[in-house]
Amino acid sequence: MITLNYKNVDEKVIGKEHGLNIEKEFSTYKDIIEKIIKDLNQRKDKKGQWLQWMNLGYNEETVWYVKEFAAMVKGQFDNILVLGIGGSALGGIAVTEALLKPYWNLLTPEQRNGMPRIFFLDNIDPDQISGLLEVIDLKRTLVNVITKSGSTAETMSQYMIIKDLMEQQLGDSYRKNIVATTDQQTGILRQLANQEGYKTFVVPDDVGGRFSVFSAVGLLPFALVGIDIEDMMNGVKDMDLALKNTDIHNNIAAQNALIHYLMDTKKGKNLSVMMPYSSRLKYISDWYVQLWAESLGKEEDSNGNKVNCGPTPIKALGATDQHSQIQLYNEGPNDKVINFIRVAEFDKTVEIPHIFDYTGIGYLGGKTINQLINAEADSTRVALLDYKRPTVTITLPRVNAFSVAQLLYMLEVQTAIAGELYNINTFNQPGVEQAKNYTYALMGRAGYEESAKALTEKMTKQ
Ligand code: PA5
């Protein structure tokens, strides 16, 4: 199991001004948390609650279909290219970076056990797209276009570019090189996939993009590059069972949600830093930033009051960002909760050879890089403690499919609980939709003429 250590947010450790009386707060919020957890678990099967992500760990059917497809296409492609943005890409990036061998795309096919390289195109930078097309042979590429709505401008424009090129290069058979993951019934991509005869997978109803990593959105790309998705599902189920515990003393998602909520509302610390001490976990922070920001950044609460709430998530990487952000975290405004992620045991041990006796570096010889990275995590935590900065530490026993899935699911539940504490709708994203609609208007989509006019007027005044 992954663990959470929150003693460095306690006022006994960092003082009354910046710390919380954890014992008292846990007992004050005991019933509220119990009610929230019961309520989430009761509502999760109801339509329209956007809580179907809580059932994804048990979706054996999807696992079966995904594995069957991955086995069928094994050996046929050199590259997997995922087209998607936001929740349709970030989970995929985070998990493949964490679980595939580092520098995967630079390894030989033998080193990759015959598995393909994987690329995510989650932006619409013309230079990047052109660059990627020079790197991959589309004839040997399986494209997985992922969009729940089926109409996101970024993803669908990428799809149109790639589809056109593939058709030119492969003729009619290009259809075998495209697999679509989208809504079961609605959306333009679903319509196109049916017309063109693509293989399809489903983004289930009531699962928002940022909560979709354990649906076919994530599972398909993972299985295509050989990640053990059953191990992942076991991690999710295991964590789900643990987080059904309604007692805050035994529920790490509830603990971290409450800590962040109270630090924001009582102590004015509305920045949440996610700082893994593991390069493989670097993109977990990007995924967390989206999850936390889109879910909790809301204008109105559930009663329609204007609240403009939401702690701002920040990504950092240990030890790298000790040499950039830590100065600010130690001595700048005391307005953050820092989440360290530690790895108890790395897959490899790298020794530092004892080749110099200079006082300044000689001490490193004979130690391991493993010791160094964890010593740096410890020293940064203690330095922050000296400055009375609140930190929590999440520890993963190892970076593997089981524990990474546990971590992601725990953070999803933590977000849902935090949303209930803020009394907001965790699962909508009106602010994102607003920008999407403006883009449609600017790019001349039919039906958006009035918005385009208003927008052009606003822009000329700027
Ligand atoms: O979390 C979300 O809902 C968003 O970030 C979406 O994933 C993102 O906007 C992409 O949407 P779609 O999957 O419809 O293309």
mmCIF file with all atom_site columns, all heavy atoms in Angstrom, residues 15 58 113 176 207 221 265 295 381 440 448:
data_model
loop_
_atom_site.group_PDB
_atom_site.id
_atom_site.type_symbol
_atom_site.label_atom_id
_atom_site.label_alt_id
_atom_site.label_comp_id
_atom_site.label_asym_id
_atom_site.label_entity_id
_atom_site.label_seq_id
_atom_site.pdbx_PDB_ins_code
_atom_site.Cartn_x
_atom_site.Cartn_y
_atom_site.Cartn_z
_atom_site.occupancy
_atom_site.B_iso_or_equiv
_atom_site.pdbx_formal_charge
_atom_site.auth_seq_id
_atom_site.auth_comp_id
_atom_site.auth_asym_id
_atom_site.auth_atom_id
_atom_site.pdbx_PDB_model_num
ATOM 1  N N   . GLY A 1 15  ? 3.997   24.617 14.450  1.00 0.00 ? 15  GLY A N   1
ATOM 2  C CA  . GLY A 1 15  ? 3.496   25.774 15.210  1.00 0.00 ? 15  GLY A CA  1
ATOM 3  C C   . GLY A 1 15  ? 2.062   26.137 14.838  1.00 0.00 ? 15  GLY A C   1
ATOM 4  O O   . GLY A 1 15  ? 1.562   25.777 13.782  1.00 0.00 ? 15  GLY A O   1
ATOM 5  N N   . TYR A 1 58  ? -13.392 -2.098 -11.638 1.00 0.00 ? 58  TYR A N   1
ATOM 6  C CA  . TYR A 1 58  ? -14.096 -3.390 -11.670 1.00 0.00 ? 58  TYR A CA  1
ATOM 7  C C   . TYR A 1 58  ? -14.578 -3.737 -13.079 1.00 0.00 ? 58  TYR A C   1
ATOM 8  O O   . TYR A 1 58  ? -15.297 -4.714 -13.264 1.00 0.00 ? 58  TYR A O   1
ATOM 9  C CB  . TYR A 1 58  ? -15.292 -3.347 -10.700 1.00 0.00 ? 58  TYR A CB  1
ATOM 10 C CG  . TYR A 1 58  ? -14.861 -2.992 -9.296  1.00 0.00 ? 58  TYR A CG  1
ATOM 11 C CD1 . TYR A 1 58  ? -14.831 -1.669 -8.865  1.00 0.00 ? 58  TYR A CD1 1
ATOM 12 C CD2 . TYR A 1 58  ? -14.429 -3.987 -8.413  1.00 0.00 ? 58  TYR A CD2 1
ATOM 13 C CE1 . TYR A 1 58  ? -14.399 -1.336 -7.596  1.00 0.00 ? 58  TYR A CE1 1
ATOM 14 C CE2 . TYR A 1 58  ? -13.995 -3.662 -7.136  1.00 0.00 ? 58  TYR A CE2 1
ATOM 15 C CZ  . TYR A 1 58  ? -13.977 -2.333 -6.732  1.00 0.00 ? 58  TYR A CZ  1
ATOM 16 O OH  . TYR A 1 58  ? -13.536 -2.015 -5.474  1.00 0.00 ? 58  TYR A OH  1
ATOM 17 N N   . ASN A 1 113 ? 11.131  -5.367 -25.953 1.00 0.00 ? 113 ASN A N   1
ATOM 18 C CA  . ASN A 1 113 ? 10.446  -6.662 -26.077 1.00 0.00 ? 113 ASN A CA  1
ATOM 19 C C   . ASN A 1 113 ? 9.481   -6.689 -27.260 1.00 0.00 ? 113 ASN A C   1
ATOM 20 O O   . ASN A 1 113 ? 8.386   -7.259 -27.175 1.00 0.00 ? 113 ASN A O   1
ATOM 21 C CB  . ASN A 1 113 ? 9.656   -7.013 -24.807 1.00 0.00 ? 113 ASN A CB  1
ATOM 22 C CG  . ASN A 1 113 ? 10.573  -7.191 -23.626 1.00 0.00 ? 113 ASN A CG  1
ATOM 23 O OD1 . ASN A 1 113 ? 11.689  -7.694 -23.776 1.00 0.00 ? 113 ASN A OD1 1
ATOM 24 N ND2 . ASN A 1 113 ? 10.127  -6.743 -22.461 1.00 0.00 ? 113 ASN A ND2 1
ATOM 25 N N   . LYS A 1 176 ? -7.376  0.524  -40.960 1.00 0.00 ? 176 LYS A N   1
ATOM 26 C CA  . LYS A 1 176 ? -6.859  -0.423 -39.951 1.00 0.00 ? 176 LYS A CA  1
ATOM 27 C C   . LYS A 1 176 ? -5.858  0.256  -39.020 1.00 0.00 ? 176 LYS A C   1
ATOM 28 O O   . LYS A 1 176 ? -5.505  -0.293 -37.987 1.00 0.00 ? 176 LYS A O   1
ATOM 29 C CB  . LYS A 1 176 ? -6.159  -1.599 -40.649 1.00 0.00 ? 176 LYS A CB  1
ATOM 30 C CG  . LYS A 1 176 ? -7.090  -2.500 -41.423 1.00 0.00 ? 176 LYS A CG  1
ATOM 31 C CD  . LYS A 1 176 ? -6.417  -3.864 -41.612 1.00 0.00 ? 176 LYS A CD  1
ATOM 32 C CE  . LYS A 1 176 ? -7.192  -4.746 -42.562 1.00 0.00 ? 176 LYS A CE  1
ATOM 33 N NZ  . LYS A 1 176 ? -6.886  -4.506 -43.980 1.00 0.00 ? 176 LYS A NZ  1
ATOM 34 N N   . VAL A 1 207 ? -18.186 9.645  -16.927 1.00 0.00 ? 207 VAL A N   1
ATOM 35 C CA  . VAL A 1 207 ? -16.755 9.666  -16.578 1.00 0.00 ? 207 VAL A CA  1
ATOM 36 C C   . VAL A 1 207 ? -16.156 10.871 -17.293 1.00 0.00 ? 207 VAL A C   1
ATOM 37 O O   . VAL A 1 207 ? -16.088 10.903 -18.525 1.00 0.00 ? 207 VAL A O   1
ATOM 38 C CB  . VAL A 1 207 ? -16.030 8.371  -17.044 1.00 0.00 ? 207 VAL A CB  1
ATOM 39 C CG1 . VAL A 1 207 ? -14.539 8.459  -16.755 1.00 0.00 ? 207 VAL A CG1 1
ATOM 40 C CG2 . VAL A 1 207 ? -16.626 7.142  -16.372 1.00 0.00 ? 207 VAL A CG2 1
ATOM 41 N N   . PRO A 1 221 ? -3.937  2.498  -24.768 1.00 0.00 ? 221 PRO A N   1
ATOM 42 C CA  . PRO A 1 221 ? -2.518  2.784  -25.019 1.00 0.00 ? 221 PRO A CA  1
ATOM 43 C C   . PRO A 1 221 ? -1.583  1.985  -24.101 1.00 0.00 ? 221 PRO A C   1
ATOM 44 O O   . PRO A 1 221 ? -0.531  1.516  -24.546 1.00 0.00 ? 221 PRO A O   1
ATOM 45 C CB  . PRO A 1 221 ? -2.390  4.285  -24.748 1.00 0.00 ? 221 PRO A CB  1
ATOM 46 C CG  . PRO A 1 221 ? -3.764  4.834  -24.784 1.00 0.00 ? 221 PRO A CG  1
ATOM 47 C CD  . PRO A 1 221 ? -4.714  3.726  -24.515 1.00 0.00 ? 221 PRO A CD  1
ATOM 48 N N   . THR A 1 265 ? -8.680  27.215 3.613   1.00 0.00 ? 265 THR A N   1
ATOM 49 C CA  . THR A 1 265 ? -9.748  28.054 4.172   1.00 0.00 ? 265 THR A CA  1
ATOM 50 C C   . THR A 1 265 ? -9.398  28.649 5.539   1.00 0.00 ? 265 THR A C   1
ATOM 51 O O   . THR A 1 265 ? -9.915  29.694 5.906   1.00 0.00 ? 265 THR A O   1
ATOM 52 C CB  . THR A 1 265 ? -11.056 27.245 4.273   1.00 0.00 ? 265 THR A CB  1
ATOM 53 O OG1 . THR A 1 265 ? -10.790 26.037 5.001   1.00 0.00 ? 265 THR A OG1 1
ATOM 54 C CG2 . THR A 1 265 ? -11.598 26.880 2.899   1.00 0.00 ? 265 THR A CG2 1
ATOM 55 N N   . SER A 1 295 ? -11.161 20.455 -11.419 1.00 0.00 ? 295 SER A N   1
ATOM 56 C CA  . SER A 1 295 ? -12.217 19.952 -10.533 1.00 0.00 ? 295 SER A CA  1
ATOM 57 C C   . SER A 1 295 ? -12.579 20.962 -9.455  1.00 0.00 ? 295 SER A C   1
ATOM 58 O O   . SER A 1 295 ? -13.751 21.107 -9.105  1.00 0.00 ? 295 SER A O   1
ATOM 59 C CB  . SER A 1 295 ? -11.765 18.643 -9.862  1.00 0.00 ? 295 SER A CB  1
ATOM 60 O OG  . SER A 1 295 ? -11.445 17.679 -10.824 1.00 0.00 ? 295 SER A OG  1
ATOM 61 N N   . ARG A 1 381 ? 12.642  18.320 3.111   1.00 0.00 ? 381 ARG A N   1
ATOM 62 C CA  . ARG A 1 381 ? 11.481  18.304 4.018   1.00 0.00 ? 381 ARG A CA  1
ATOM 63 C C   . ARG A 1 381 ? 11.841  18.955 5.360   1.00 0.00 ? 381 ARG A C   1
ATOM 64 O O   . ARG A 1 381 ? 11.083  19.761 5.899   1.00 0.00 ? 381 ARG A O   1
ATOM 65 C CB  . ARG A 1 381 ? 11.016  16.854 4.219   1.00 0.00 ? 381 ARG A CB  1
ATOM 66 C CG  . ARG A 1 381 ? 9.612   16.743 4.771   1.00 0.00 ? 381 ARG A CG  1
ATOM 67 C CD  . ARG A 1 381 ? 9.236   15.319 5.079   1.00 0.00 ? 381 ARG A CD  1
ATOM 68 N NE  . ARG A 1 381 ? 10.074  14.745 6.115   1.00 0.00 ? 381 ARG A NE  1
ATOM 69 C CZ  . ARG A 1 381 ? 10.880  13.712 5.942   1.00 0.00 ? 381 ARG A CZ  1
ATOM 70 N NH1 . ARG A 1 381 ? 10.975  13.121 4.785   1.00 0.00 ? 381 ARG A NH1 1
ATOM 71 N NH2 . ARG A 1 381 ? 11.610  13.253 6.946   1.00 0.00 ? 381 ARG A NH2 1
ATOM 72 N N   . TYR A 1 440 ? -14.315 27.787 -31.194 1.00 0.00 ? 440 TYR A N   1
ATOM 73 C CA  . TYR A 1 440 ? -15.222 27.403 -32.288 1.00 0.00 ? 440 TYR A CA  1
ATOM 74 C C   . TYR A 1 440 ? -15.690 28.646 -33.027 1.00 0.00 ? 440 TYR A C   1
ATOM 75 O O   . TYR A 1 440 ? -15.723 28.684 -34.260 1.00 0.00 ? 440 TYR A O   1
ATOM 76 C CB  . TYR A 1 440 ? -16.451 26.654 -31.747 1.00 0.00 ? 440 TYR A CB  1
ATOM 77 C CG  . TYR A 1 440 ? -16.144 25.328 -31.079 1.00 0.00 ? 440 TYR A CG  1
ATOM 78 C CD1 . TYR A 1 440 ? -16.928 24.859 -30.023 1.00 0.00 ? 440 TYR A CD1 1
ATOM 79 C CD2 . TYR A 1 440 ? -15.077 24.537 -31.517 1.00 0.00 ? 440 TYR A CD2 1
ATOM 80 C CE1 . TYR A 1 440 ? -16.654 23.642 -29.413 1.00 0.00 ? 440 TYR A CE1 1
ATOM 81 C CE2 . TYR A 1 440 ? -14.797 23.325 -30.903 1.00 0.00 ? 440 TYR A CE2 1
ATOM 82 C CZ  . TYR A 1 440 ? -15.586 22.883 -29.842 1.00 0.00 ? 440 TYR A CZ  1
ATOM 83 O OH  . TYR A 1 440 ? -15.315 21.691 -29.246 1.00 0.00 ? 440 TYR A OH  1
ATOM 84 N N   . TYR A 1 448 ? -22.076 29.295 -34.247 1.00 0.00 ? 448 TYR A N   1
ATOM 85 C CA  . TYR A 1 448 ? -21.360 30.145 -33.279 1.00 0.00 ? 448 TYR A CA  1
ATOM 86 C C   . TYR A 1 448 ? -21.174 31.570 -33.824 1.00 0.00 ? 448 TYR A C   1
ATOM 87 O O   . TYR A 1 448 ? -20.303 32.301 -33.374 1.00 0.00 ? 448 TYR A O   1
ATOM 88 C CB  . TYR A 1 448 ? -19.993 29.514 -32.940 1.00 0.00 ? 448 TYR A CB  1
ATOM 89 C CG  . TYR A 1 448 ? -20.128 28.244 -32.114 1.00 0.00 ? 448 TYR A CG  1
ATOM 90 C CD1 . TYR A 1 448 ? -20.479 27.045 -32.720 1.00 0.00 ? 448 TYR A CD1 1
ATOM 91 C CD2 . TYR A 1 448 ? -19.944 28.261 -30.739 1.00 0.00 ? 448 TYR A CD2 1
ATOM 92 C CE1 . TYR A 1 448 ? -20.631 25.882 -31.981 1.00 0.00 ? 448 TYR A CE1 1
ATOM 93 C CE2 . TYR A 1 448 ? -20.095 27.100 -29.991 1.00 0.00 ? 448 TYR A CE2 1
ATOM 94 C CZ  . TYR A 1 448 ? -20.438 25.925 -30.623 1.00 0.00 ? 448 TYR A CZ  1
ATOM 95 O OH  . TYR A 1 448 ? -20.586 24.771 -29.879 1.00 0.00 ? 448 TYR A OH  1
#
